[in-house]
């Protein structure tokens, strides 16, 4: 086993001074010269946990094609949006986050997919491919669109308002399955020769009673 080295054991080289972490956001935060507000605090938190998602113009154009008042799911548009959001370039966005973005665009056709609601619908844990490959993104898109259809059927069966189904079933799962831990939350696993620590971050969304739980990877 290698011995841990400290500052007295090393020389500082030029490469150590090249900080390339989240460069656009880092530059903006470094140049702050105004009073802090909630928006700035949110950006700092997202910077620290490496969850800041910067979308390009094409992604916003696709998102804004969603009619806020529509009651009909456009499968093709939804998959196109997911393919854009889940691409490697949209750093910080996985399927749970992508579905959250869609949900706030139009809750009448989109709901959040997460571990709790998923296991309420299917009675099993949510397993997603951990990859940015085209095949993985297609598979996740299929999982989500099928989930929306099955969730709507469950809402009809249980007489639940679809637009609030994710929040209702989230609370139901916490109540009836509180003794059954969520998979891959708060665990440490070894991968690729490195230890990865996952922690549970809770972010309270303004004007929203639900606390959004996200698993965040700390390098």
């Amino acid at each position: 086993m290698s011995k841990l080295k400290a500052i007295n054991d090393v020389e500082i080289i030029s490469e150590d001074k090249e900080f390339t972490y989240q460069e656009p956001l880092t530059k903006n935060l470094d140049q702050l010269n105004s009073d802090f507000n909630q928006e700035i605090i949110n950006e700092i938190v997202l910077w620290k946990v490496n969850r800041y998602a910067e979308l390009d113009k094409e992604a916003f154009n696709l998102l804004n094609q969603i009619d806020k008042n529509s009651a009909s799911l456009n499968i093709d548009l939804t998959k196109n949006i997911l393919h854009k959001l889940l691409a490697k370039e949209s750093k910080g966005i996985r399927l749970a986050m992508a579905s959250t973005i869609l949900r706030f665009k139009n809750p009448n056709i989109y709901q959040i997919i997460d571990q709790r609601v998923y296991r309420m619908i299917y009675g099993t844990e949510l397993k997603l491919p951990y990859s940015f490959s085209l095949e993985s993104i297609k598979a996740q898109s299929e999982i989500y669109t099928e989930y929306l259809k099955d969730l709507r059927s469950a809402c009809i069966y249980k007489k639940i308002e679809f637009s609030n189904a994710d929040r209702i079933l989230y609370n139901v799962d916490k109540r009836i399955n509180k003794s059954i831990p969520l998979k891959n939350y708060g665990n440490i696993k070894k991968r690729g020769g490195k230890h990865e620590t996952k922690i549970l971050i809770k972010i309270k969304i303004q004007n929203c009673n639900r606390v959004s739980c996200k698993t965040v990877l700390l390098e």
Side-chain angles (χ1 to χ4, degrees), residues 5 25 37 46-47 79 87 103 138 155 166 179 193 219:
K5 296 179 181 180
L25 180 58
N37 54 33
L46 292 172
W47 178 91
K79 289 183 177 180
R103 188 233 190 273
K138 286 182 178 179
C155 288
D166 54 0
S179 63
E219 299 291 348

Side-chain angles (χ1 to χ4, degrees), residues 192-204:
K194 296 181 180 180
H195 281 91
E196 297 178 347
T197 305
K198 289 189 175 183
I199 62 174
L200 188 64
I201 301 293
K202 293 185 177 180
I203 303 174
K204 185 168 289 186

Side-chain angles (χ1 to χ4, degrees), residues 15 32 71 77 98 103 156 164 173 209:
E15 292 179 2
L32 281 175
L77 175 60
R103 188 233 190 273
I156 294 172
N164 284 317
D173 183 79
N209 292 327

Side-chain angles (χ1 to χ4, degrees), residues 4-186:
L4 180 67
K5 296 179 181 180
I7 194 167
N8 291 333
D9 303 315
V10 299
E11 292 292 332
I12 306 298
I13 63 176
S14 59
E15 292 179 2
D16 297 325
K17 300 178 182 180
E18 297 175 2
F19 194 74
T20 59
Y21 176 83
Q22 296 198 60
E23 291 183 79
L25 180 58
T26 299
K27 182 179 179 180
N28 290 340
L29 293 176
D30 284 344
Q31 294 176 349
L32 281 175
N33 190 28
S34 61
D35 291 341
F36 275 27
N37 54 33
Q38 189 60 54
E39 182 179 355
I40 292 174
I41 295 300
N42 290 344
E43 288 190 336
I44 293 172
V45 171
L46 292 172
W47 178 91
K48 178 59 178 172
V49 300
N50 198 18
R51 295 286 290 184
Y52 186 78
E54 187 174 15
L55 302 183
D56 60 22
K57 185 177 180 180
E58 182 183 353
F60 283 112
N61 286 339
L62 286 169
L63 281 168
N64 289 324
Q65 288 181 37
I66 299 172
D67 183 351
K68 178 71 175 179
N69 300 312
S70 176
S72 177
L73 177 65
N74 185 324
I75 297 292
D76 290 337
L77 175 60
T78 300
K79 289 183 177 180
N80 287 338
I81 293 172
L82 289 175
H83 284 197
K84 189 64 180 177
L85 294 181
L86 298 176
K88 189 174 183 179
E89 292 74 20
S90 299
K91 189 176 181 180
I93 297 182
R94 307 296 288 173
L95 184 57
M97 181 64 75
S99 70
T100 302
I101 293 171
L102 291 171
R103 188 233 190 273
F104 282 103
K105 186 64 176 174
N106 185 341
N108 296 313
I109 56 177
Y110 298 114
Q111 291 286 281
I112 296 170
I113 183 171
D114 61 17
Q115 291 279 6
R116 290 195 181 279
V117 182
Y118 187 91
R119 70 183 187 179
M120 282 296 299
I121 299 300
Y122 297 108
T124 186
E125 66 182 271
L126 173 60
K127 295 181 179 180
L128 296 172
Y130 190 84
S131 168
F132 292 107
S133 69
L134 182 58
E135 291 75 15
S136 172
I137 292 173
K138 286 182 178 179
Q140 292 181 71
S141 299
E142 288 294 336
I143 288 171
Y144 182 61
T145 52
E146 287 301 311
Y147 163 82
L148 290 176
K149 295 176 185 177
D150 294 335
L151 177 60
R152 189 171 292 279
S153 295
C155 288
I156 294 172
Y157 176 67
K158 286 295 185 179
K159 298 180 180 179
I160 297 172
E161 184 181 12
F162 181 84
S163 61
N164 284 317
D166 54 0
R167 300 176 183 181
I168 294 170
L169 295 179
Y170 177 90
N171 286 333
V172 173
D173 183 79
K174 284 185 67 177
R175 174 171 56 84
I176 68 173
N177 291 322
K178 58 184 177 182
S179 63
I180 304 175
L182 297 173
K183 300 292 184 181
N184 299 322
Y185 275 66

